Amino acid sequence: MLPLSVLIKPASGHCNMRCKYCFYADEISHRETPLHDVMDQDTQRLMIERIFDYADGPCTICFQGGEPTLAGLSYFRRFVEEAGRYNTKRLPVQYALQTNGLLVDEEWADFFAENHFLVGLSIDGPEEIHDRLRRDAKGEGTFKRVMKAARILEKHHVEYNVLTVVTAQTARHISKIYRYFMKNRLVYQQYMPCLDPLGTERGKLEFSLTPEAYLSCLKLLFDEWYRDRMNGEFVFIRDFENLAGILLGYQPERCGMSGHCVNQFVIESNGDVYPCDFYTLDPYCLGNLKESGFAELDAACETCGFVRESMKVETKCMDCEWYRICRGGCRRDRQGKELHEIGLNYFCETYRQFYSYAVPKMLELIRNIQN
C-alpha cells in the first residue's frame, strides 16, 4: 500500500495579505493565467472522486494558497463530507492546512479539531519583526491577529505548528524569534529559507537571504535548540529532527532533504495539476483533473522530466563528505535562471559548514537521548 499526498489550492493564489517575499505571488505572475476563481463544487467533487479512486494507501491531503481559508468554511465542510462518501476503501486520511491565520475564529478552530486537521500557522516572530514584511492588503500589520488565532487553536486543542520564513531580517534576529516562540509555548516550529523571484540573481532584494546570513542563522538556531533538548526541554524544529533521523538511518520526511523531487500532485483551483508547489508554472503543468486521472498525471510528470532533472548530481557534491546528509538540497535552491538549468545549491557552502558544526553535537544529543 503506497501513500498518496496531494496539495490543494482551493482559493488559487488569492490572499488577504501582501507579504513582500511571497514566492507564490511571484510564481503565478509567470503563468499565462495567474489567478483562478475559488474551486467550484463540480471540480471539488471530481477531484475527491479521483483521489480515492487512485489511492490504495494512507492519504495526506494538504490545503495551501494563497490563503486557503478564503475558499470558505463551507468548502472544507463539504470536502470532508464528500471524502467520507468516496473513501469506500476506508483508507486512513490525514488533513493539513497552511494559513496566515487572519480568518481563523472559534468556528474554524472547532472544525479543525473535530476533523483532526494539522494546521500550519505562519508567524515570523515578535510583532516588530513579523509586521515588517507580513502586512495585509491594506498595508496594516497582522501580528496581533495571527497570535489571536494561535490562542484560539490552543483553546480548541487543534494540533498546529508555526512556519517562519527566514529572510535577511529574521536571520538577524533568529535567537530572539526562537525565545519568543518558546516563551509563548510555540514549540512545533518550521523555518523555510526565503526564495528570491524566479529568474533573478539571488541576494539582491531587501528580504533576500544570503548564504552567509543563513549560516549564521542556522548555527544560532541550532545552538538554542540543542541547549534546550540537552536540558530535557521539548521543542520540535523540523529540519533538525529530519537531520537526526538521517543520522539514525531513516528517510527524511521533508522532500527538500531527500536528494530528489517527487510528484507532489499540486492541484490548482481550476483542476490544473503540477508536480511541486515551487513549480506551478505552465511548462510543468501535468494536465487537468477534469480530463485526466492521477495515473495519467503521474505519467505526465515522468514525461516532462521534472523528477529526472532533479536527480542530477554535481561533481562537487559527490566529493563532499556531507553529501549523504545534504543530498544536494532542494531543487529550487539549485535552480539557475532558466527552468531546466539545475546546478550547485545556492547554499552549498552554508550547508557544508553547518553540518561540520552541528553533526558532532547532534550525535552527542542522540547518544544522550538513547541512554
Side-chain angles (χ1 to χ4, degrees), residues 165-321:
V165 178
V166 184
T167 62
Q169 290 74 29
T170 50
R172 286 197 296 269
H173 303 286
I174 197 64
S175 291
K176 182 177 182 179
I177 292 168
Y178 175 85
R179 290 168 190 163
Y180 176 82
F181 287 162
M182 295 301 289
K183 181 180 178 181
N184 285 274
R185 308 182 305 277
L186 304 172
V187 296
Y188 289 92
Q189 303 166 18
Q190 294 186 56
Y191 296 87
M192 186 180 85
C194 183
L195 295 171
D196 284 324
L198 282 163
T200 64
E201 185 178 356
R202 298 193 69 162
K204 302 300 182 183
L205 299 173
E206 170 196 4
F207 53 76
S208 295
L209 182 65
T210 64
E212 296 78 15
Y214 193 30
L215 175 61
S216 175
C217 170
L218 283 174
K219 285 183 175 180
L220 288 170
L221 182 62
F222 180 83
D223 284 345
E224 297 279 1
W225 174 85
Y226 173 78
R227 180 200 64 236
D228 284 345
R229 291 303 298 263
M230 286 293 282
N231 289 333
E233 188 167 356
F234 178 78
V235 53
F236 182 100
I237 295 181
R238 188 183 184 190
D239 280 3
F240 299 159
E241 300 291 340
N242 271 263
L243 173 58
I246 291 172
L247 292 172
L248 287 168
Y250 297 102
Q251 286 297 314
E253 54 80 26
R254 184 170 176 265
C255 66
M257 301 178 76
S258 66
H260 62 83
C261 298
V262 296
N263 187 359
Q264 296 179 338
F265 293 115
V266 180
I267 306 171
E268 256 285 4
S269 62
N270 70 330
D272 285 343
V273 181
Y274 303 85
C276 174
D277 195 28
F278 292 158
Y279 289 90
T280 57
L281 303 162
D282 292 339
Y284 287 118
C285 183
L286 306 178
N288 191 288
L289 277 171
K290 298 171 187 176
E291 302 164 356
S292 305
F294 277 90
E296 296 169 276
L297 294 164
D298 203 27
C301 184
E302 178 64 29
T303 301
C304 80
F306 180 80
V307 173
R308 186 170 59 253
E309 290 168 0
S310 73
M311 294 180 177
K312 177 185 176 184
V313 180
E314 296 292 312
T315 302
K316 185 176 179 180
C317 292
M318 295 298 294
D319 296 334
C320 178
E321 63 178 312

Side-chain angles (χ1 to χ4, degrees), residues 104-222:
V104 172
D105 58 14
E106 304 281 346
E107 191 176 10
W108 275 102
D110 185 59
F111 169 80
F112 291 146
E114 181 183 352
N115 295 284
H116 308 290
F117 270 62
L118 173 62
V119 175
L121 186 63
S122 294
I123 309 176
D124 277 1
E127 186 169 6
E128 67 276 12
I129 299 172
H130 176 96
D131 280 351
R132 180 167 180 176
L133 298 176
R134 294 189 64 81
R135 294 184 170 270
D136 65 16
K138 296 180 180 179
E140 297 175 353
T142 59
F143 172 80
K144 288 184 173 62
R145 285 173 280 174
V146 177
M147 287 305 295
K148 181 180 178 181
R151 301 288 83 97
I152 292 173
L153 293 173
E154 287 179 7
K155 175 184 173 183
H156 288 262
H157 305 290
V158 177
E159 290 189 50
Y160 77 101
N161 56 53
V162 294
L163 173 64
T164 300
V165 178
V166 184
T167 62
Q169 290 74 29
T170 50
R172 286 197 296 269
H173 303 286
I174 197 64
S175 291
K176 182 177 182 179
I177 292 168
Y178 175 85
R179 290 168 190 163
Y180 176 82
F181 287 162
M182 295 301 289
K183 181 180 178 181
N184 285 274
R185 308 182 305 277
L186 304 172
V187 296
Y188 289 92
Q189 303 166 18
Q190 294 186 56
Y191 296 87
M192 186 180 85
C194 183
L195 295 171
D196 284 324
L198 282 163
T200 64
E201 185 178 356
R202 298 193 69 162
K204 302 300 182 183
L205 299 173
E206 170 196 4
F207 53 76
S208 295
L209 182 65
T210 64
E212 296 78 15
Y214 193 30
L215 175 61
S216 175
C217 170
L218 283 174
K219 285 183 175 180
L220 288 170
L221 182 62
F222 180 83

Side-chain angles (χ1 to χ4, degrees), residues 14 39 49 55 73 75 84 89 102 157 216 224 244 250-251 256 279 312 327 342 370:
H14 294 282
M39 185 179 290
E49 181 180 3
L73 186 52
Y75 171 91
K89 304 172 193 173
L102 297 196
H157 305 290
S216 175
E224 297 279 1
Y250 297 102
Q251 286 297 314
Y279 289 90
K312 177 185 176 184
R327 306 178 187 190
I342 310 297
Q370 289 178 331

Side-chain angles (χ1 to χ4, degrees), residues 61-82:
I61 299 174
C62 183
F63 301 92
Q64 289 191 14
E67 173 50 40
T69 59
L70 288 174
L73 186 52
S74 60
Y75 171 91
F76 292 92
R77 292 192 192 282
R78 188 168 57 246
F79 191 104
V80 171
E81 182 180 342
E82 290 286 317

